Amino acid sequence: MKLVHHPEYFPRFHTVFWAGLKNLRGKKISVIGHIRPDGDALGSQVALTRVLRALGYDACAVAYSPIPKNLYFLIGDTPIVFNDKNADLRDAAILVDCASLDRVGDLFLSRLPECLLNVDHHISNPGFGKNNIVVTDAAATCEILAGLFIDFDFPIDHATAQALYVGIATDTGQFCYNTTTARVFDLVHRLVKLGAVASAAANELYFNDPLAKRKLLQVFLSRMEIHCGGRFMLSVLHDSDYAETGAAYEDAEGLIDFLRNIEGVEIVAFIDDRTSFAKTSLRSRSSDYDVSKIASEFGGGGHKMAAGYTGKGEWMKIRDDLLAVVKKTLSETDQKASE
């Protein structure tokens, strides 16, 4: 392995990345992402596992949750164990796209080996690994990995390039969010030259929805609530909604954007009300409204414009508690803007 000096996307993390790789040599490695994986989590797992194996490491991706159907195409021949509470977590762990240790899931957390490398872009990540690469100005964990792989001239095959591309594309909202920088486009340009195919990714991710997802969307929009003069909007889905529409839990992915894209809205929320817990997702239209701070009020975290938390109890109590914090956030932000 050699370090080359073009174009040095993340030079300040070269030393810690190299140290993490040295510590992993000779170990059986589990590459772990967060529960309920999205494109960035799975893309990071697949890409890092493939590159490590190409470099001679004994690495395998391990996922706590089932893989969403529209992300299956990323896996290919990548060694991965998923949806198995008895999965062998091996000698050492690399955590990718996990804002905190508990994001690996309760069953994994109780028997997690030492985390020798933590790669993430969430602002709330405390740096829980022996070696930490937390780049909060990166749009996606896949952006960080792509940059480091290119900095070190590591092998990137077509499948790896596609996984990295998907992670970046999904976490930038198809290159629409304000995290989409010149560095993002430069890296994506390189990934396409290395074999990533944007049209193939788009077809799998966005143009192949099951009918049940559209039925779920109908329910989601019918439950839309408007607060704070239209600046805060939310909706809720219950377990029974999935059963009645025939939708899977993964079909709720992306529904919150139908609220965020409404004129005049600043903050939106989706309360996914399950039998034993409720997962609240938060989004904002502008970094002026930091939803990670809202989520932290309830033990969660994330980014300024995308965050979430999990709680228990009646969804209406969760809604009312959230509404109080959102009103306070809107008021405080407006006051700072006027000063």
Side-chain angles (χ1 to χ4, degrees):
M1 296 182 290
K2 62 178 180 177
L3 176 62
V4 295
H5 296 284
H6 73 278
E8 292 199 342
Y9 290 103
F10 297 103
R12 62 193 174 103
F13 292 101
H14 288 172
T15 300
V16 67
F17 188 47
W18 190 259
L21 293 178
K22 286 179 66 177
N23 289 335
L24 289 162
R25 179 62 70 182
K27 298 183 182 296
K28 294 182 178 180
I29 307 161
S30 293
V31 181
I32 303 173
H34 60 70
I35 54 176
R36 295 183 291 277
D38 56 11
D40 193 27
L42 184 63
S44 297
Q45 286 182 274
V46 168
L48 185 52
T49 298
R50 297 184 71 86
V51 167
L52 287 174
R53 292 178 68 86
L55 295 172
Y57 289 84
D58 183 358
C60 177
V62 183
Y64 178 93
S65 307
I67 304 300
K69 292 178 182 177
N70 68 341
L71 294 177
Y72 263 109
F73 74 103
L74 291 182
I75 298 173
D77 62 352
T78 308
I80 184 168
V81 177
F82 56 92
N83 198 24
D84 183 357
K85 65 182 180 180
N86 298 313
D88 176 14
L89 295 186
R90 320 186 94 199
D91 300 334
I94 301 175
L95 268 58
V96 292
D97 205 38
C98 290
S100 59
L101 274 173
D102 60 5
R103 290 288 287 149
V104 302
D106 293 342
L107 294 178
F108 279 12
L109 183 61
S110 63
R111 51 196 178 87
L112 192 70
E114 183 180 11
C115 178
L116 295 182
L117 186 59
N118 162 34
V119 186
D120 188 30
H121 68 127
H122 293 91
I123 195 170
S124 56
N125 190 305
F128 48 75
K130 183 172 182 179
N131 298 279
N132 299 285
I133 300 175
V134 180
V135 189
T136 58
D137 68 345
T141 301
C142 278
E143 180 190 352
I144 303 167
L145 291 173
L148 288 171
F149 294 162
I150 292 170
D151 283 356
F152 279 80
D153 198 25
F154 286 167
I156 299 175
D157 64 11
H158 291 187
T160 302
Q162 188 77 324
L164 292 168
Y165 172 86
V166 166
I168 296 171
T170 53
D171 257 29
T172 57
Q174 303 176 66
F175 310 103
C176 292
Y177 300 161
N178 66 357
T179 53
T180 308
T181 62
R183 183 177 65 196
V184 165
F185 283 120
D186 191 45
L187 281 167
V188 165
H189 167 73
R190 288 177 174 271
L191 292 174
V192 170
K193 291 180 70 175
L194 288 165
V197 181
S199 59
N203 185 64
E204 295 286 350
L205 293 169
Y206 308 118
F207 305 146
N208 199 28
D209 284 344
L211 177 60
K213 182 166 184 172
R214 289 292 181 262
K215 292 180 178 179
L216 194 67
L217 173 61
Q218 285 182 304
V219 178
F220 179 83
L221 293 177
S222 74
R223 300 250 178 78
M224 183 172 63
E225 296 185 7
I226 305 171
H227 299 279
C228 306
R231 300 177 69 195
F232 174 51
M233 303 184 73
L234 66 85
S235 188
V236 61
L237 290 173
H238 307 292
D239 258 341
S240 58
D241 297 322
Y242 294 95
E244 291 172 5
T245 59
Y249 290 129
E250 66 193 57
D251 290 327
E253 182 70 27
L255 297 188
I256 193 171
D257 292 328
F258 284 89
L259 302 183
R260 176 162 52 182
N261 297 340
I262 294 174
E263 181 183 8
V265 73
E266 302 287 1
I267 299 172
V268 298
F270 165 37
I271 302 174
D272 196 3
D273 181 33
R274 308 282 181 86
T275 302
S276 56
F277 68 91
K279 180 179 180 293
T280 301
S281 299
L282 301 168
R283 301 289 187 270
S284 65
R285 287 280 291 270
S286 164
S287 58
D288 292 339
Y289 301 93
D290 188 348
V291 292
S292 71
K293 290 183 177 180
I294 297 175
S296 69
E297 293 280 337
F298 304 100
H303 309 289
K304 283 188 174 182
M305 297 176 63
Y309 61 94
T310 300
K312 295 182 179 181
E314 292 292 329
W315 81 267
M316 288 181 289
K317 175 67 164 54
I318 294 171
R319 185 266 314 274
D320 292 344
D321 290 345
L322 172 61
L323 180 57
V325 175
V326 169
K327 286 180 177 178
K328 180 181 176 183
T329 298
L330 289 172
S331 176
E332 290 177 350
T333 304
D334 291 347
Q335 185 175 351
K336 287 181 181 178
S338 65
E339 292 176 352

